[in-house]
């Protein structure tokens, strides 16, 4: 959300970055509607995940191979959730695609 108050100008670089993110999300959703999942094979894995919410729906879990968050097995809350397809093991948040690992509470296979 961008808020302009007291005559201050909006941060044009931040606004342009948000527009780019929204355009990438819209493209991914349109491709999905046409039967395509435009997800990189390098998408991070979100393990031990479950649906949760804040002011918007999101996911929480342990992430692996995230492109901007350092460390492996890091607990995160994703950006806003736009698409969740458990049968395909994928989710699209505002920021990126996730490959879904095991849902929260599932047993580890031996």
């Amino acid at each position: 959300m961008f808020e302009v108050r007291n005559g201050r100008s909006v941060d044009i670089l931040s606004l342009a970055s948000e527009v780019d993110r929204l355009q990438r999300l819209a493209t991914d959703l349109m491709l999905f509607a046409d039967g395509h999942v435009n997800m990189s094979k390098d998408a991070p894995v979100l393990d031990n995940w479950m649906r949760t919410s804040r002011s918007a729906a999101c996911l929480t879990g342990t992430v692996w191979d995230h492109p901007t968050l350092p460390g492996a097995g890091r607990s995160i809350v994703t950006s806003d959730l736009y698409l969740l397809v458990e049968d395909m093991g994928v989710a699209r948040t505002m920021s990126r695609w996730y490959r879904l690992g095991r849902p929260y509470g599932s047993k580890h296979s031996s």
Side-chain angles (χ1 to χ4, degrees):
M1 180 183 109
F2 290 89
E3 184 175 2
V4 179
R5 295 175 59 170
N6 301 325
R8 292 187 180 143
S9 60
V10 71
D11 178 351
I12 297 300
L13 289 177
S14 294
L15 183 60
S17 177
E18 185 67 8
V19 167
D20 180 60
R21 231 170 41 134
L22 290 168
Q23 286 175 330
R24 284 184 283 122
L25 171 63
T27 297
D28 283 346
L29 292 176
M30 287 187 299
L31 286 169
F32 182 81
D34 288 338
H36 306 284
V37 175
N38 186 30
M39 180 174 56
S40 165
K41 64 182 177 182
D42 298 326
V45 174
L46 184 64
D47 202 12
N48 198 30
W49 66 272
M50 69 176 155
R51 257 183 89 163
T52 188
S53 63
R54 50 178 190 251
S55 59
C58 60
L59 295 172
T60 183
T62 308
V63 73
W64 303 86
D65 304 323
H66 196 284
T68 61
L69 298 175
R74 178 184 181 139
S75 293
I76 66 162
V77 175
T78 68
S79 58
D80 298 358
L81 179 63
Y82 279 83
L83 180 67
L84 175 62
V85 189
E86 290 185 50
D87 292 346
M88 293 178 65
V90 298
R92 180 57 161 97
T93 67
M94 171 65 82
S95 302
R96 65 186 25 78
W97 284 99
Y98 285 91
R99 295 173 289 146
L100 298 176
R102 298 175 310 258
Y104 179 76
S106 68
K107 300 285 184 195
H108 293 276
S109 44
S110 306

